[in-house]
Amino acid sequence: MIVVATGITDGMLIFLVASGLTLVLGVMRVVNFSHGGFFMIGAYLAYEFLRGHVVPIWQFILLLIAASAATAVVGAVCERLLFRRLYRLPEVTSLLGTYALLLILEGAAQLVWGQNPVTQPQPSGLVHAISLGNAAVPRYDILVVAAGVVTAIGLQVLIKGTDFGRDLTAVAEDRFMAGLLGINVNRVFAATFALGIFLAGLGGALAGPTLSMVPDIAVTFILQAFAVVIVGGFGSIAGSLIAALALGLLHAFLASDAPSLADFSLYLLMAGVLVVRPQGLLGSRQLTGGLA
Amino acid sequence: MSGHTVPGVSRAVAGLGRTASRASRTAAGLIVLAVLVAVWPHLLGTGQLFFWDTAIIAVLFATSVNLLFGTAGIPSFGQAAFYGVGAYAVAKVAAHAWPAPAALLLGVVVGAGVAFLTSLITWRTTGLAFAMLTLAIAQAIYTLVVKINWLGGYNGIPGISAPSFLGINFFNAANAWYFDAFWVAVGLAVFWRIRRSPFGHTLNAIRQDPVRASFLGVNVRAYRALAFTLAGCGAGLAGGLFAYTNQTVAPSNLYWTESATPIIMLLLGGISYFWGPAVGAILLTALLHYLNQVTTSYLFYIGLLLLAVLLLLPEGVLSVPTVVGPFRRRGQTRPAGRSVVGLLGPARVRPGVEPAPLPGDHPETADKP
């Protein structure tokens, strides 16, 4: 039971990061290495807003939103200054452009916050564990899972049920045609990127109290998110949710039953899925297959 | 009509002259390089010599990676794994006092073998999916290396003894430099030859338009796998030299950010030039060396530099003459250049040759607003 709870919590955290990544990839066709950088910025901004104070849960939720929004603003600025120039370039060049941004973000964090780890306290109402059945589950995990569920539902509603979602789907399908039909592609890109970075910031702000923050989390956390995007299928949010939960559960089970294998759960999952479905769980062949 | 020379003939004569002067210039350049290598230890102190050892090893590594990016158009993000396994292989057998050439050969074989296995796993993927998959495989190898106690876990293998061969004392910094320079020269010569071989030209064709190449009967996937394996050879050799020079190998040498370093180097120097990665490697190594002394965060400045090069000088530092040239000598057209990592872009063409029609006109890239 405790294993399942840990697995779902970890999975939800990865999902928050991966959903933004897959959104940007699916719509803008940019593999955004800097996503991990924004995750880290979100964690540090939340830390900066709180400065070690312990606050009640409703303030903490406001803080999460503020930190994510601030991260999204940084992201929007980067989109305007940098990414808009990258769309024209070949995919691999834009990949390196985002890698450069990752280096800049990580370097900036090193300059501002230093290399020493800092810790973010949990909100006052969520410090202890509650018992679910026969297991003690940290209360903070419930907040993480709730945030993941709200995000998953919110994204589905946004994409399937709103005008913006329709524009976004159209641009993802065929940006040229969507532009001809009068959709402002640049604006959709800007909004998508800001949304994706908001999710990265949210993931970082939520993950803050669960880890010791160093600028290096920018490069470590992104790998799991990438794996989840590959396994779930490029551009598929539902796929990344399934893949993230599968990864979280697999890691939790292996950690309790076969600890030496736990670090490989990422690669076991990838190998297992990609052998059967090279395009990922819910992906189309559009982005992965073919010769060219 | 007297007094008119036949244009074709005059062009052919000019062409002959150009080939001859190019050959002699290459020879002169090689001689200058050889002399520099020979006198280098007498110009520098031991510490600086160590810095140059690491710089030329980076030159070899970056040049091997450019076989993938610049020639074959294969975006691999996992080359550090092959570099790392080569380094570990040499580190393990150096303890048993293997003669240096045998140890380095083992490094090459191990690097190539792991690269070949990787190319089998990634056989069907291309582009971004390939890039992500190589990154993941390399990272899996990293995790594996950390887990294996025989390889020293997180600490790696310290205290690797200097190369042993023919009883020469390679603890001497100058001898170690000659040792590194020799093997780097061998590696560079091989990659130079590959680039000019029919095989290299086929890789070029595959980069420009894989679909058309496969229509012409080229087994694109097999060629890509072979190029990947050859790049793995180069990475393994560079890794082996690194093990001897650094005398310590650690899992961090395999970490995925290390795969990005040679890519930054070849971007910096210029992807469409053979010597681009070499120039970039020396520039970046020097930059890291000096930035480390003045700032706590070199990442920030490296990132800014990379971005500036990508956006302002997309063909790298070596393209400066072709960019500046037309401003100095008016009336000359600038040769059509290839953008950095223009894996889907047109190849660099020599002046006087008609540029090929834009190949690989992808719906995805062509549709960009």
Side-chain angles (χ1 to χ4, degrees):
Chain A
M1 188 59 206
I2 180 76
V3 174
V4 174
T6 316
I8 290 178
T9 310
D10 287 354
M12 278 301 183
L13 210 49
I14 300 168
F15 165 70
L16 280 174
V17 182
S19 60
L21 194 63
T22 206
L23 195 67
V24 169
L25 177 62
V27 175
M28 294 160 67
R29 302 284 155 83
V30 173
V31 171
N32 185 14
F33 270 123
S34 64
H35 204 76
F38 288 109
F39 167 84
M40 182 245 341
I41 295 286
Y44 269 107
L45 282 179
Y47 163 78
E48 192 64 31
F49 291 166
L50 210 54
R51 275 278 161 205
H53 292 290
V54 177
V55 292
I57 177 164
W58 63 271
Q59 281 186 17
F60 190 78
I61 291 174
L62 283 182
L63 168 98
L64 289 179
I65 294 169
S68 327
T71 315
V73 170
V74 179
V77 172
C78 291
E79 198 271 345
R80 190 71 190 79
L81 293 179
L82 171 64
F83 282 76
R84 200 156 285 187
R85 292 164 212 271
L86 295 180
Y87 303 140
R88 300 161 197 287
L89 301 175
E91 281 166 342
V92 176
T93 313
S94 65
L95 192 89
L96 287 164
T98 67
Y99 184 76
L101 184 58
L102 173 68
L103 294 182
I104 294 174
L105 290 175
E106 193 184 342
Q110 285 177 349
L111 291 173
V112 175
W113 289 290
Q115 293 273 29
N116 293 329
V118 297
T119 46
Q120 170 89 321
Q122 293 182 345
S124 58
L126 296 177
V127 175
H128 300 296
I130 59 164
S131 41
L132 265 177
N134 56 354
V137 178
R139 292 185 185 207
Y140 190 76
D141 287 7
I142 295 169
L143 179 68
V144 173
V145 173
V149 171
V150 168
T151 304
I153 294 172
L155 280 176
Q156 281 307 316
V157 170
L158 183 73
I159 291 172
K160 304 279 185 220
T162 63
D163 285 354
F164 171 69
R166 204 186 48 212
D167 288 359
L168 187 146
T169 316
V171 172
E173 284 286 326
D174 187 339
R175 60 178 69 162
F176 181 67
M177 197 62 211
L180 287 184
L181 291 174
I183 296 173
N184 187 337
V185 176
N186 273 341
R187 193 176 295 165
V188 172
F189 276 179
T192 308
F193 194 76
L195 179 61
I197 298 308
F198 181 89
L199 292 172
L202 182 61
L206 262 176
T210 66
L211 38 84
S212 77
M213 271 184 252
V214 285
D216 239 20
I217 58 175
V219 295
T220 48
F221 213 85
I222 191 74
L223 285 173
Q224 297 182 6
F226 267 131
V228 161
V229 168
I230 296 174
V231 170
F234 281 17
S236 164
I237 287 169
S240 65
L241 177 62
I242 298 170
L245 290 177
L247 176 61
L249 288 172
L250 182 66
H251 186 271
F253 274 112
L254 287 178
S256 76
D257 294 336
S260 58
L261 280 178
D263 285 349
F264 291 101
S265 45
L266 201 68
Y267 313 110
L268 291 173
L269 184 71
M270 280 183 64
V273 171
L274 292 183
V275 166
V276 188
R277 279 181 73 82
Q279 69 272 41
L281 289 173
L282 299 180
S284 65
R285 293 204 58 85
Q286 197 186 356
L287 274 169
T288 47
L291 272 172
Chain B
M1 286 288 139
S2 62
H4 249 166
T5 49
V6 185
V9 171
S10 73
R11 210 178 296 151
V13 170
L16 268 180
R18 210 162 39 224
T19 342
S21 75
R22 181 173 296 160
S24 59
R25 252 191 301 157
T26 309
L30 285 179
I31 291 168
V32 169
L33 215 57
V35 170
L36 261 183
V37 166
V39 300
W40 215 230
H42 305 291
L43 300 177
L44 301 172
T46 309
Q48 279 171 310
L49 210 51
F50 176 77
F51 159 77
W52 279 98
D53 284 329
T54 54
I56 62 169
I57 291 170
V59 165
L60 176 59
F61 188 26
T63 302
S64 79
V65 176
N66 202 33
L67 178 70
L68 300 179
F69 278 80
T71 308
I74 304 172
S76 167
F77 268 76
Q79 293 306 112
F82 317 130
Y83 179 84
V85 293
Y88 268 94
V90 169
K92 277 319 263 191
V93 297
H96 302 293
W98 276 34
L104 287 175
L105 185 67
L106 182 75
V108 170
V109 169
V110 170
V114 177
F116 178 66
L117 289 178
T118 306
S119 76
L120 291 186
I121 298 172
T122 57
W123 189 256
R124 287 168 61 191
T125 52
T126 53
L128 289 182
F130 179 87
M132 294 296 96
L133 212 52
T134 47
L135 196 156
I137 292 169
Q139 205 51 24
I141 295 171
Y142 163 82
T143 313
L144 202 62
V145 167
V146 169
K147 288 277 162 188
I148 297 175
N149 286 331
W150 184 63
L151 295 176
Y154 274 109
N155 297 325
I157 303 174
I160 301 162
S161 49
S164 54
F165 187 55
L166 297 176
I168 301 169
N169 173 18
F170 285 112
F171 284 105
N172 178 312
N175 285 348
W177 158 259
Y178 291 131
F179 177 82
D180 285 337
F182 172 75
W183 289 106
V184 168
V186 169
L188 290 183
V190 170
F191 281 106
W192 171 269
R193 191 72 199 83
I194 290 173
R195 202 179 150 101
R196 259 125 230 283
S197 67
F199 174 73
H201 290 304
T202 310
L203 290 182
N204 246 318
I206 291 174
R207 186 198 71 237
Q208 290 176 23
D209 193 336
V211 177
R212 202 179 291 176
S214 74
F215 286 165
L216 290 173
V218 176
N219 187 343
V220 171
R221 283 171 178 158
Y223 267 82
R224 279 185 174 146
L226 186 52
F228 199 77
T229 309
L230 285 170
C233 288
L237 178 61
L241 289 173
F242 171 80
Y244 274 138
T245 304
N246 198 46
Q247 300 185 348
T248 304
V249 292
S252 60
N253 298 131
L254 282 80
Y255 200 64
W256 74 272
T257 46
E258 291 300 308
S259 293
T261 309
I263 302 171
I264 296 176
M265 289 169 176
L266 59 93
L267 279 176
L268 212 56
I271 187 169
S272 48
Y273 306 89
F274 179 80
W275 295 107
V279 171
I282 291 173
L283 276 179
L284 189 69
T285 316
L287 212 59
L288 287 176
H289 189 70
Y290 292 109
L291 276 178
N292 257 335
Q293 296 172 356
V294 293
T295 170
T296 50
S297 169
Y298 60 87
L299 288 180
F300 184 71
Y301 301 98
I302 297 292
L304 280 182
L305 175 76
L306 178 59
L307 215 51
V309 170
L310 272 176
L311 295 176
L312 303 177
L313 206 61
E315 289 163 59
V317 173
L318 284 186
S319 72
V320 166
T322 48
V323 175
V324 178
F327 291 103
R328 286 191 307 151
R329 290 165 290 161
R330 286 204 290 156
Q332 275 202 348
T333 50
R334 188 183 150 194
R338 181 147 67 86
S339 77
V340 191
V341 200
L343 297 189
L344 304 172
R348 204 169 138 263
V349 272
R350 274 188 235 118
V353 181
E354 273 293 299
L358 199 75
D361 256 347
H362 257 244
E364 276 163 39
T365 43
D367 285 351
K368 277 174 187 168

